[in-house]
Amino acid sequence: MKVGIIGAGASGLALASMLEQLNIDYMLFNKGKVGRKILASGNGRCNISHNSYKGSDYFDNPLAIHILDHNFKDVFAFFHSLGIYTKTDNEGRMYPISESSQSVLNILLKNIHKKIIDIEIDSIKKSNDKYYLNGCYGPLDKIILATGSIASFKKPYLSLDFLKDLDIKFNPFVPSLVGFQTTKKIKAISGARAKCHCTLLQNKNIIHEEDGEVIFKDNGISGIVIMNLSGYYQHLKSKADAVIKIDFSYNKDYPNYESIIQPKILNYLLENNIDVHSLYIPILGVYDFEFAQVCKGGIDISMVNDNLSLKKDKNVFAMGEVLDVDAICGGYNLMFAFASAIEVFKEIKNEIQNK
């Protein structure tokens, strides 16, 4: 058996390392920098996973829940098998003990002994039950789609033209885990940070709320709490009338707020006669893909079986962020990438053992 893996991100690198353990032949293709999301995760510290999960962390995506239900413990066994040792913070986020994304990428690459072919794949053709990439790489028995998304990319974006050859439904990518742009005049507090309670509202209905640090910009807001709210925002069917409500004192009242709220922000609130519990930020939209940690969108989950093979072709698999699966911040997206690679590896391994 010979496997073609398109993409050398977290899922592609993980699968390649597992295939090597069984001496399964493969070709690994990746245009440009490898392990981009690994290196960017956790601001370079690599928030590699999380010590638990629930459906709402993945916006109740049934495929994500299924894959994690079957592979959650195996993710940590995989890390240990490679010598990736982790620690967990108070919120359940997991990091390598080194707190270095580069160390995780180095370990993955150390377990891959084949050269990564630096080329963009633009076609997948099938002939006599064999696959050929770009008309010249093959014959291959299985194809693994592991390109990830275009989050964190600048234009020109990664091409996924080869998906046309597969005739499958693809939901357009939109930036997620990203900051919001606004029409609100907040340039006076640009650069300020504040820990506060944030609520995503639509027509006065609460969509989601949580606590965290907000970073104010000239024309928008960011920070982990805002990124999480952006995930819920992108899952709204309509984006009309969506606003962020910021409470700077967690619904607590004080005689004065000079020791509660940062001076720059407090002055802005007082000068504009804004209640400390109710700074409303109308959502104009989100920042572009280059500022996003992940994307919503990808191969529609109705196109794949529970084992991540395509329903139209059992020898083509999709894993990681190329699937329409996204999660909130906290290591969940990388965890799904690794779990999906393990699922695909199990299928390949079982097929070989049953022959």
Side-chain angles (χ1 to χ4, degrees), residues 188-189 192-194 216 248-249 256-276 279:
I189 52 175
R193 296 168 178 253
F216 292 90
F248 290 95
S249 64
N256 68 73
Y257 294 90
E258 291 183 10
S259 65
I260 307 301
I261 302 173
Q262 195 232 79
K264 188 176 183 180
I265 295 174
L266 182 58
N267 289 339
Y268 172 81
L269 297 176
L270 293 173
E271 289 172 3
N272 291 278
N273 196 29
I274 298 171
D275 190 324
V276 298
L279 172 60

Side-chain angles (χ1 to χ4, degrees), residues 110-127:
K110 186 176 71 174
N111 285 273
I112 295 171
H113 300 99
K114 288 208 165 195
K115 181 180 178 181
I116 299 172
I117 302 169
D118 187 2
I119 191 170
E120 190 165 79
I121 300 300
D122 53 35
S123 71
I124 301 173
K125 301 299 182 184
K126 189 174 183 180
S127 177

Side-chain angles (χ1 to χ4, degrees), residues 279-313:
L279 172 60
Y280 288 95
I281 305 290
I283 298 173
L284 178 64
V286 299
Y287 288 103
D288 209 350
F289 289 104
E290 67 176 290
F291 303 104
Q293 290 191 6
V294 299
C295 286
K296 180 184 180 299
I299 296 171
D300 195 276
I301 63 172
S302 67
M303 298 289 102
V304 300
N305 296 304
D306 286 346
N307 66 359
L308 300 182
S309 64
L310 298 187
K311 290 180 178 178
K312 290 189 173 184
D313 191 333

